[in-house]
C-alpha cells in the first residue's frame, strides 16, 4: 500500500487527496469540531491496526494455501489442517475491518463538512487517477499570478508512470477556454523558454497532470528525449491525454 491506509481509504471513497491526518490539527482547538476530530483520530488509529492485522492474516492464509497446493501436486497429500481455523479468524478480521472502515469514513464525512482538504489555499493535492491512490498524488502550488498551478509529482506518482526521477516539478497547468492547458518543464525558470513543451489541452485537471507525467516519462527515455508534442502520432496524443 503506497499510502497510510487511512488516507488510502478516504481517497478511494471520496476522491480527497490528503497527505496527512489534517483533523489532528483540530483536536485542541476548543470549537465544536474538536470532539469530531478527536473521535476521528481514535478511529484512524483503530483502522490502521485493523488493516495491519488483516494484512498479516491474509498473508498467512495465502502462505498456507500455497503449501497445500505444493503438497497436493508434489506428494498427493495435504498440508496440516490449520486452514479452517485460519479462515474463521480471517472472517472475523474482515468484519472488523469493514466496520471500522465504515466508522472512519462516516466520521471523516462529518469533519470534512466543516474543514477544507488543504490547510493552505495556495497548495492543493490531487489524485492523479480519480479514486485510485495507487497512481499517486500531485501537489498543485499556485504561481505568482494565482492563475496557474505548478505540478509536483510525489514518488508514488513518479513510480506509477515510469519516471526515472523520484518526482518533483513536472510542469504547470491552467484553465483555458479550450480546457486544462499543460506546459512541461522541470525548472520553473524555463516555463517561458523553448526548453518548455506545451501539451495539447485536456478536459480535466487530473487528465492534464497525467499528460505531464506521461510526457515526462517519454522525455526521460534516451531515444525520445528530443521529441516534442508535434512529433506524436494521433494515437500517441490520445494516449497522452487519456
Amino acid at each position: 500500500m503506497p499510502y497510510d491506509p487511512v488516507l488510502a481509504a478516504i481517497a478511494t471513497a471520496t476522491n480527497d487527496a490528503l497527505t496527512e491526518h489534517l483533523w489532528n490539527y483540530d483536536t485542541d482547538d476548543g470549537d465544536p469540531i474538536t470532539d469530531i476530530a478527536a473521535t476521528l483520530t481514535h478511529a484512524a488509529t483503530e483502522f490502521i491496526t485493523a488493516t495491519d492485522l488483516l494484512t498479516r492474516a491474509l498473508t498467512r492464509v495465502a502462505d498456507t494455501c500455497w503449501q497445500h497446493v505444493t503438497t497436493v501436486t508434489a506428494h498427493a497429500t495435504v498440508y496440516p489442517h490449520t486452514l479452517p481455523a485460519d479462515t474463521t479468524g480471517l472472517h472475523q478480521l474482515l468484519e472488523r475491518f469493514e466496520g471500522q472502515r465504515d466508522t472512519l469514513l462516516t466520521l471523516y464525512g462529518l469533519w470534512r463538512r466543516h474543514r477544507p482538504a488543504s490547510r493552505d489555499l495556495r497548495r492543493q493535492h490531487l489524485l492523479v487517477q480519480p479514486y485510485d491512490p495507487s497512481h499517486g498524488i500531485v501537489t498543485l502550488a499556485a504561481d505568482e499570478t494565482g492563475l496557474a498551478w505548478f505540478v509536483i509529482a510525489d514518488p508514488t506518482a513518479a513510480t506509477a508512470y515510469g519516471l526515472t526521477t523520484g518526482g518533483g516539478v513536472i510542469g504547470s497547468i491552467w484553465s483555458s477556454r479550450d480546457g486544462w492547458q499543460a506546459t512541461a518543464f522541470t525548472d520553473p525558470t524555463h516555463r517561458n523558454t523553448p526548453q518548455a513543451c506545451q501539451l495539447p489541452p485536456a478536459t480535466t485537471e487530473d487528465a492534464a497532470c497525467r499528460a505531464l507525467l506521461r510526457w515526462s516519462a517519454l522525455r526521460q527515455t534516451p531515444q525520445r528525449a528530443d521529441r516534442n508534442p508535434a512529433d506524436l502520432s494521433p494515437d500517441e496524443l490520445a494516449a497522452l491525454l487519456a
Side-chain angles (χ1 to χ4, degrees):
M1 184 176 292
Y3 299 108
D4 173 334
V6 171
L7 303 182
I10 289 170
T12 301
T14 70
N15 202 36
D16 282 351
L18 305 181
T19 58
E20 59 178 326
H21 295 189
L22 292 176
W23 49 88
N24 287 340
Y25 296 103
D26 284 342
T27 55
D28 297 320
D29 286 352
D31 65 16
I33 311 305
T34 298
D35 290 343
I36 295 175
T39 306
L40 179 53
T41 296
H42 178 72
T45 300
E46 290 292 306
F47 183 68
I48 289 171
T49 300
T51 302
D52 180 60
L53 290 172
L54 181 57
T55 300
R56 284 188 282 165
L58 285 167
T59 301
R60 183 171 61 253
V61 170
D63 290 342
T64 301
C65 288
W66 179 247
Q67 290 290 348
H68 275 292
V69 170
T70 301
T71 54
V72 167
T73 57
H75 305 290
T77 183
V78 190
Y79 192 67
H81 293 281
T82 61
L83 194 55
D86 287 342
T87 52
T88 298
L90 180 60
H91 179 71
Q92 294 170 343
L93 288 173
L94 280 166
E95 288 184 334
R96 175 182 174 184
F97 173 85
E98 290 171 352
Q100 291 184 342
R101 184 178 185 274
D102 289 344
T103 298
L104 170 77
L105 294 175
T106 299
L107 288 167
Y108 176 74
L110 291 172
W111 175 84
R112 185 69 171 80
R113 289 177 195 171
H114 305 278
R115 294 292 187 264
S118 174
R119 300 184 75 210
D120 181 356
L121 295 181
R122 291 183 59 83
R123 292 180 74 85
Q124 301 179 26
H125 304 290
L126 183 73
L127 289 168
V128 176
Q129 187 69 42
Y131 298 96
D132 186 354
S134 68
H135 285 252
I137 291 173
V138 291
T139 298
L140 304 180
D143 71 0
E144 64 279 4
T145 69
L147 300 176
W149 301 88
F150 292 117
V151 181
I152 304 155
D154 76 353
T156 300
T159 299
Y161 284 82
L163 274 64
T164 56
T165 59
V169 175
I170 56 173
S172 66
I173 62 171
W174 70 94
S175 181
S176 73
R177 197 181 42 180
D178 298 320
W180 280 92
Q181 187 67 58
T183 301
F185 51 79
T186 56
D187 184 339
T189 63
H190 295 163
R191 58 182 160 159
N192 296 316
T193 72
Q195 292 174 273
C197 290
Q198 186 160 315
L199 305 182
T203 55
T204 61
E205 292 172 280
D206 51 87
C209 292
R210 289 194 296 275
L212 284 173
L213 283 161
R214 292 182 180 120
W215 181 254
S216 297
L218 187 70
R219 290 295 297 271
Q220 289 177 11
T221 306
Q223 61 270 30
R224 297 180 177 179
D226 59 348
R227 295 187 78 182
N228 61 63
D231 298 325
L232 299 180
S233 68
D235 286 345
E236 288 175 319
L237 281 174
L240 189 72
L241 298 172

